[in-house]
Amino acid sequence: MMRLTVIFTLLLLTSCVSNKLITVEKDTNAVNYANTITAKELKGHLYVFASDKFLGRETGKEGQQIAEKYLVDEFKEIGIEPGNNGSYLQSFEVVEHLRPVATIYVNGREYFNRKQFYFFSSLADFEDTTIQLKDVVDVSYGIENKELNNYKDIIVKDKIVLINVNNPEEVAPEENWNWRRKLALAQEKGAQSVFFIDEYYDQRLEVVSHYLESSTMNLLEDEDKEKGQYIPFYFVNDVLKKELLEAETDIKIDFNFRDVVLETTNVLAYVEGSDSVLKDEVIVITAHYDHIGVEGQDIYNGADDDGTGSVALLELAEAFQLAKKNGNGPKRSILIMPVSGEEKGLLGSKYYTNHPVYPLENTVANLNIDMIGRIDSTHLGDTNYLYLIGSDRISNDLHLISEAVNKAYMKLDLDYTYNKEDDPNKFYYRSDHYNFAKNRVPVIFYFSGVHEDYHKVTDTVDKIIFEKVEKAARLVFYTAWELANREERIKKNAK
Ligand SMILES: [Zn+2]
């Protein structure tokens, strides 16, 4: 599961919910194959997959390649077909932005990034510059407010603007003059760049330091699209502020961006449908096999996130392949796809939906599994619950089938708490199903909730409740089985 770092703009969709009756009859074949998904085998896989040898499975790094090989070897062993025109892999390139080195030279002295100043390299295009003294203007708070219209007589076009990031008491908090608004205003007025002066610099640097220290990743093909939202802007401490205000020489800023292109993969395994017409329609089952890697001596095993989903896919592949081998394969096709790049911004699923191997218009649904092996604080001692997210948003048929399948086979307590549009955790946007949903493919996200070890080194395999993983994986199996074998393809809601 991806960390929540972005403020999303929410589109409120009105869904047209029909109350048609959907029933699911228990299929003994399905039960036989689902029963091959066992806690014991899941455990066997996860003790390897979430071990230190897999180095936290970071996208584009050695650990991810080890995990990829494990998955491919297991798929071969199972005998399931490769899903990408004869290959188990869909390769793609990502760019890793290592934390930039930057220096400001003023009055014969040097000031360094994350010491006397900092900046957010992903929000603007930064390049080496020399600032002439005559171009620097101080606009105080940089706001437009009846009492404090301090922009009125100052020309800021093409200037380098100094702005106090904080506000005086006269400015009510509800006016919301935060740095983003001040920056946008300066930009609107034609400023060249902004230096934010901050009397609470040290505290603020502390808050954002983790973010500034870590590298970020992007799809190589998206590199140019997603840059330069703002003019260059910097936060500076008191020492540097004084230097800037009393500069006697030109100010030089040098950047050293270190971008590395890395190769990574989605892994694709495929069971072709048995019906000559329906086999063109595919159900895609995903889980992300990457995690957040290594930090110093610490290896982030990501046993729950999303080791559990990854090993569930292996068991699902085995069950579907066995059904096919016995002549009982599903009518529609099944694509089982462990993706990478999830922790870096859902990159693998984004790449796949940008370059689908099977057309998205033929993709019936995406069932996505991310973290199904722990019990959260609201369900202590209960292995029989599961959060489902998104099931009714694009296709109410999918929701009704999912419910009916659960009733017929598993009788889990399905919890829709996180499916609410106004859920502050925004889980609907934070795992790989979202890239399918964005393309109007109906989705269900299966999740057992957050816990204190989320994105910590303590997310280890000894804490996994395999009985729970087994139940969740079986529910996904039955749901995919039903979607693949029903006469009628599920319908989407009216937009
Ligand atoms: Zn995660």
Side-chain angles (χ1 to χ4, degrees), residues 72-143:
V72 170
D73 287 349
E74 288 299 320
F75 284 144
K76 281 183 186 162
E77 178 82 27
I78 289 163
I80 192 170
E81 299 275 312
N84 185 14
N85 303 300
S87 170
Y88 286 106
L89 302 179
Q90 181 185 47
S91 300
F92 58 98
E93 287 173 307
V94 294
V95 181
E96 181 176 31
H97 304 280
L98 301 175
R99 76 183 180 216
V101 175
T103 315
I104 296 182
Y105 300 91
V106 56
N107 296 334
R109 279 183 279 271
E110 296 181 1
Y111 297 94
F112 300 102
N113 185 22
R114 301 191 318 282
K115 294 277 191 299
Q116 297 87 7
F117 73 99
Y118 64 86
F119 63 103
F120 299 114
S121 55
S122 62
L123 295 181
D125 297 325
F126 293 90
E127 45 189 50
D128 294 355
T129 24
T130 300
I131 294 167
Q132 311 211 327
L133 286 185
K134 62 174 175 51
D135 291 333
V136 181
V137 283
D138 183 350
V139 300
S140 179
Y141 295 104
I143 62 177

Side-chain angles (χ1 to χ4, degrees), residues 468-488:
K468 195 154 193 356
V469 184
E470 178 191 283
K471 285 180 182 175
R474 286 184 183 182
L475 178 66
V476 175
F477 176 82
Y478 287 124
T479 307
W481 180 273
E482 182 64 27
L483 291 170
N485 284 312
R486 284 182 86 82
E487 206 86 333
E488 239 188 291

Side-chain angles (χ1 to χ4, degrees), residues 2 234 248 274 317 351 379 388:
M2 182 176 67
Y234 315 84
E248 288 168 3
S274 60
Y351 188 84
H379 297 87
L388 264 59

Side-chain angles (χ1 to χ4, degrees), residues 168-185:
E169 275 172 22
E170 301 93 293
V171 179
E174 54 272 22
E175 286 188 55
N176 206 23
W177 278 107
N178 55 25
W179 67 260
R180 281 179 186 270
R181 192 172 170 202
K182 293 181 181 196
L183 181 62
L185 179 61

Side-chain angles (χ1 to χ4, degrees), residues 1-3 288 290-292 305-306 342-343 370-371 454-455:
M1 160 106 48
M2 182 176 67
R3 209 175 261 280
H288 71 90
D290 67 301
H291 192 53
I292 57 176
D305 184 9
D306 183 23
E342 196 271 353
E343 303 286 11
D370 194 353
M371 301 170 65
Y454 170 74
H455 279 209

